Amino acid sequence: MKLSGAEIVCESLLKEEVDIVFGLPGGAVLPLYGAMAKYPDLRHVLVRHEQAAAMAADGYARATGRVGVCSATSGPGATNLITGIATAQMDSVPMVAITGQVPRAAIGRDAFQETDVTGITLPITKHNFLVMEVEDVAPAIKEAFHIARTGRPGPVLVDIPKDVLQDLRTEFVWPEKPNLPGYHPPGEAPTNQVARAAQLINQAKRPVIMAGHGVLISQAYNELIELAEKSQIPVITTLLGIGSIPTDHVLNMGMPGMHGMAYNNLAIDQADLLIGLGMRFDDRVTGRLRDFAPNAQVIHVDVDASELDKNVKATVPVVGDLKKVLNQLTPLVQPNVHLDWHRRLDELKAEHPSLHIRESEELLPQYVLNRLSEVAGGDCIVVTGVGQHQMWAAQHCKFTEPNTLITSGGLGSMGYEVPAALGARMGRPDKTVWSVAGDGGFQMTMCDLATAVENNVDIKFAILNNQSLGMVKQMQDVFYDREYYAVEYSGNPDFVKLAAAYGIDGMRVTRKEEVDDAVRHAMEVSGPVIIDFVVKEDEQVYPWIPAGESVHEMIEEQPARGGPY
């Protein structure tokens, strides 16, 4: 039986075991939506803005480890996906975006709602396709999913003209394997690289493991712990590596970098060996490169060879799938205890406590997130936006399982928290999901509260409301002589009334003693809940290494108001 291109897309998605598509229809993609109506096993989630479709697919992918799928029409529909696609690209998230395009005869003629979406997305996708023949639809979908999920994952866009979606000229034939003769993601690493890495580890006196997102992507958490425990090497996790080792593990030291723990940055400064596992040595971790880890040799393991030596020169670069590489490496590593090094690290922790929450009658955002984590439990999924609340969540929430902190790291996309939480909860209905937002970022995508309500998605929304763009205000405070401009919100909505408008529970918390009960109540309610935590307005995130500076310029705590920085 001959099928239309749109029906072939649906058949292909089912072959890839897709269960949810996040999207919003429009003229050029309507044939696909007409076909999806015939496929009840494909659940379509209608978002209120296409950016939410991409970010929901991203959250779904991070929470489940599967490929997230989103769809949009041509022109503005496709361009509205771009921030979400770029977010997935920067953080190596497997996603397939399917967009409609104007009919083939109209391409290049400035037709209504025409954009060159493959050209626009070329820098922010792992690969993309413009499918010009109906016979190529199934092979393109097969290849898109294979590329998205293998090697270093990433988003792949498939753009299909409307008349190709309507074309009824072919039968559905699912390829046995993708036709990608030049695409060979690495597996095991060369044995000489692994042997050299093991030699450096066995010789090191002050080693540190830096675990990144690649540990979670390759599902190498058990292998990471085995290596760390065998040689008693402390583990520092990047923002996206949080969850690769439980927060309460004795070897887990937490996050480094711009807003990481002071003792971690000092440990890196004093280490004689850094073992970078599936991480990028990005600027938020390294600060000023010439001053980063000046005493350390570097082992850098990554599946993407282009990351090696990009920012930090590796003494031993190792190319391979991290899980396989660790299984090669650990047997060659000798048991060790590094007692002197651990004593030194204990001294650094005592001298630079970093995570102490000071006593205050005011409602501090750090206190809110610490209590939320304690009451909710470390196995819930926390999805954050970007800004101060993101850093406080990374610092003060506990994560006992992998993939339980979901956040936009590389691109830093405000508004990520609402749609990504939607995707995470729909992908993991067995998990409690908290969307942690600032009042600024929340308002960027709060229209998709309607999507959560419409689909009865049980998400708990915690808003840290300081009536400003907090992180931007903090930078203006320190670097621009406290000249606050375009950062303070005087027109915030009443978030409790907003909750009522959507027919969901809403609460406002202004005092410390209300926090625990509000969190418990939210978790007892079936369905979405909004808690508006009205927090201290001028609280800032510390420790802090200002952008472009080094550990030597680190500010460890918020100075008294009016005091010098």
Side-chain angles (χ1 to χ4, degrees), residues 300-331:
H300 190 180
V301 183
D302 206 284
V303 73
D304 184 354
S306 71
E307 287 296 340
L308 305 178
D309 295 337
K310 185 174 78 175
N311 294 322
V312 172
K313 179 70 175 176
T315 314
V316 178
V318 183
V319 181
D321 178 88
L322 186 57
K323 189 180 185 77
K324 295 178 180 178
V325 171
L326 290 180
N327 282 323
Q328 293 175 270
L329 176 63
T330 302

Coordinates of all heavy atoms in Angstrom, one line a residue, residues 300-331:
H300 N 42.4 14.0 29.4 CA 41.1 14.4 29.0 C 40.5 13.3 28.1 O 41.1 13.0 27.1 CB 41.3 15.7 28.1 CG 39.9 16.4 27.8 ND1 39.8 17.5 27.1 CD2 38.7 16.0 28.1 CE1 38.6 17.9 27.0 NE2 37.9 17.0 27.6
V301 N 39.4 12.8 28.6 CA 38.7 11.7 27.9 C 37.4 12.2 27.3 O 36.6 12.8 28.0 CB 38.4 10.5 28.8 CG1 37.7 9.4 28.0 CG2 39.6 10.0 29.6
D302 N 37.2 12.1 26.0 CA 36.0 12.6 25.4 C 35.7 11.8 24.1 O 36.7 11.4 23.4 CB 36.0 14.1 25.1 CG 34.7 14.7 25.0 OD1 33.9 14.5 24.0 OD2 34.3 15.4 26.0
V303 N 34.4 11.6 23.8 CA 34.1 10.9 22.6 C 34.2 11.8 21.3 O 34.3 11.3 20.2 CB 32.6 10.4 22.7 CG1 31.6 11.5 22.6 CG2 32.3 9.3 21.7
D304 N 34.3 13.1 21.6 CA 34.5 14.1 20.5 C 35.9 14.6 20.5 O 36.3 15.4 21.3 CB 33.5 15.2 20.7 CG 33.5 16.3 19.6 OD1 34.3 16.1 18.7 OD2 32.7 17.2 19.6
A305 N 36.6 14.2 19.5 CA 38.1 14.5 19.4 C 38.3 16.0 19.3 O 39.3 16.5 19.7 CB 38.7 13.8 18.2
S306 N 37.3 16.7 18.8 CA 37.4 18.2 18.6 C 37.5 18.9 19.9 O 37.9 20.1 20.0 CB 36.3 18.8 17.7 OG 35.1 18.7 18.4
E307 N 37.0 18.3 21.0 CA 37.1 18.9 22.3 C 38.5 18.9 22.9 O 38.8 19.7 23.8 CB 36.1 18.3 23.3 CG 34.6 18.6 23.0 CD 34.3 20.1 23.2 OE1 35.1 20.8 23.8 OE2 33.3 20.6 22.6
L308 N 39.3 17.9 22.5 CA 40.6 17.7 23.1 C 41.5 18.8 22.6 O 41.7 19.1 21.4 CB 41.2 16.3 22.7 CG 40.2 15.1 23.1 CD1 40.9 13.8 22.6 CD2 39.9 15.1 24.6
D309 N 42.2 19.4 23.6 CA 43.2 20.5 23.3 C 42.5 21.8 22.8 O 43.1 22.8 22.5 CB 44.2 20.1 22.3 CG 45.2 19.0 22.8 OD1 45.3 18.9 24.1 OD2 45.8 18.3 22.0
K310 N 41.1 21.9 22.9 CA 40.4 23.1 22.4 C 40.6 24.2 23.4 O 40.9 25.3 22.9 CB 38.9 22.8 22.2 CG 38.2 23.9 21.6 CD 36.7 23.6 21.3 CE 35.9 23.6 22.6 NZ 34.4 23.4 22.3
N311 N 40.5 24.0 24.6 CA 40.7 25.0 25.7 C 41.9 24.8 26.6 O 42.6 25.7 26.8 CB 39.4 25.1 26.5 CG 38.2 25.6 25.7 OD1 38.3 26.4 24.8 ND2 37.0 25.0 26.0
V312 N 42.0 23.5 27.0 CA 43.1 23.2 27.9 C 43.9 22.1 27.2 O 43.4 21.1 26.8 CB 42.6 22.6 29.3 CG1 43.7 22.1 30.1 CG2 41.8 23.8 30.0
K313 N 45.2 22.3 27.1 CA 46.1 21.3 26.5 C 46.2 20.1 27.4 O 46.5 20.1 28.6 CB 47.5 21.9 26.4 CG 48.5 21.0 25.7 CD 48.3 20.8 24.3 CE 49.4 20.0 23.6 NZ 49.1 19.7 22.2
A314 N 45.9 18.9 26.7 CA 45.9 17.6 27.4 C 47.3 17.0 27.4 O 47.9 16.9 26.3 CB 44.9 16.7 26.9
T315 N 47.8 16.6 28.5 CA 49.1 15.8 28.5 C 48.8 14.4 27.9 O 49.6 14.0 27.1 CB 49.5 15.5 30.0 OG1 49.5 16.8 30.7 CG2 50.9 15.0 30.0
V316 N 47.6 13.8 28.2 CA 47.2 12.6 27.6 C 45.8 12.8 27.1 O 44.8 12.7 27.9 CB 47.3 11.4 28.5 CG1 46.8 10.1 27.8 CG2 48.7 11.2 29.0
P317 N 45.6 13.0 25.8 CA 44.2 13.0 25.2 C 43.8 11.6 25.0 O 44.5 10.8 24.4 CB 44.4 13.8 23.9 CG 45.8 13.6 23.5 CD 46.6 13.4 24.8
V318 N 42.5 11.3 25.3 CA 42.0 10.0 25.1 C 40.6 10.1 24.4 O 39.7 10.7 24.9 CB 41.8 9.2 26.4 CG1 41.3 7.8 26.2 CG2 43.1 9.2 27.2
V319 N 40.5 9.5 23.2 CA 39.3 9.6 22.4 C 38.6 8.3 22.5 O 39.1 7.2 22.1 CB 39.6 9.9 20.9 CG1 38.3 10.0 20.1 CG2 40.4 11.2 20.8
G320 N 37.3 8.3 23.0 CA 36.6 7.1 23.0 C 35.3 7.3 23.8 O 35.1 8.3 24.5
D321 N 34.4 6.3 23.7 CA 33.2 6.3 24.5 C 33.5 6.1 26.0 O 34.2 5.2 26.3 CB 32.3 5.2 24.1 CG 31.0 5.1 24.9 OD1 30.0 5.8 24.6 OD2 31.0 4.4 25.9
L322 N 33.1 7.0 26.8 CA 33.6 7.1 28.2 C 33.4 5.8 29.0 O 34.3 5.4 29.7 CB 32.9 8.3 28.9 CG 33.5 8.6 30.3 CD1 35.0 8.8 30.3 CD2 32.7 9.8 30.9
K323 N 32.2 5.2 28.8 CA 31.9 4.0 29.6 C 32.9 2.9 29.2 O 33.5 2.2 30.1 CB 30.5 3.5 29.3 CG 30.0 2.4 30.1 CD 28.6 2.0 29.8 CE 28.0 0.9 30.7 NZ 27.6 1.5 32.0
K324 N 33.2 2.8 27.9 CA 34.1 1.8 27.4 C 35.6 2.1 27.9 O 36.4 1.2 28.3 CB 34.1 1.6 25.9 CG 32.7 1.1 25.5 CD 32.6 1.0 23.9 CE 31.3 0.4 23.5 NZ 31.1 0.4 22.0
V325 N 35.9 3.4 27.8 CA 37.3 3.8 28.2 C 37.5 3.5 29.7 O 38.6 3.1 30.0 CB 37.5 5.3 27.9 CG1 38.8 5.8 28.5 CG2 37.5 5.6 26.4
L326 N 36.5 3.8 30.5 CA 36.7 3.6 32.0 C 36.9 2.1 32.2 O 37.6 1.7 33.1 CB 35.6 4.2 32.8 CG 35.5 5.7 32.8 CD1 34.4 6.2 33.6 CD2 36.8 6.3 33.4
N327 N 36.2 1.3 31.5 CA 36.3 -0.2 31.7 C 37.7 -0.6 31.2 O 38.2 -1.6 31.7 CB 35.2 -0.9 30.9 CG 33.9 -0.9 31.6 OD1 33.9 -1.0 32.9 ND2 32.8 -0.8 30.9
Q328 N 38.3 0.1 30.3 CA 39.7 -0.2 29.9 C 40.7 0.3 30.9 O 41.7 -0.3 31.2 CB 40.0 0.5 28.5 CG 39.3 0.0 27.3 CD 39.6 0.8 26.1 OE1 39.0 1.8 25.8 NE2 40.7 0.5 25.4
L329 N 40.4 1.5 31.5 CA 41.3 2.2 32.3 C 41.4 1.7 33.7 O 42.5 1.5 34.3 CB 41.0 3.7 32.3 CG 41.8 4.6 33.2 CD1 43.2 4.7 32.8 CD2 41.2 6.0 33.3
T330 N 40.3 1.4 34.4 CA 40.3 1.1 35.8 C 41.1 -0.1 36.1 O 41.8 -0.1 37.2 CB 38.8 0.9 36.3 OG1 38.1 2.2 36.0 CG2 38.8 0.6 37.8
P331 N 41.1 -1.2 35.4 CA 41.9 -2.4 35.7 C 43.4 -2.1 35.7 O 44.2 -2.7 36.4 CB 41.6 -3.4 34.6 CG 40.3 -3.0 34.1 CD 40.2 -1.5 34.2

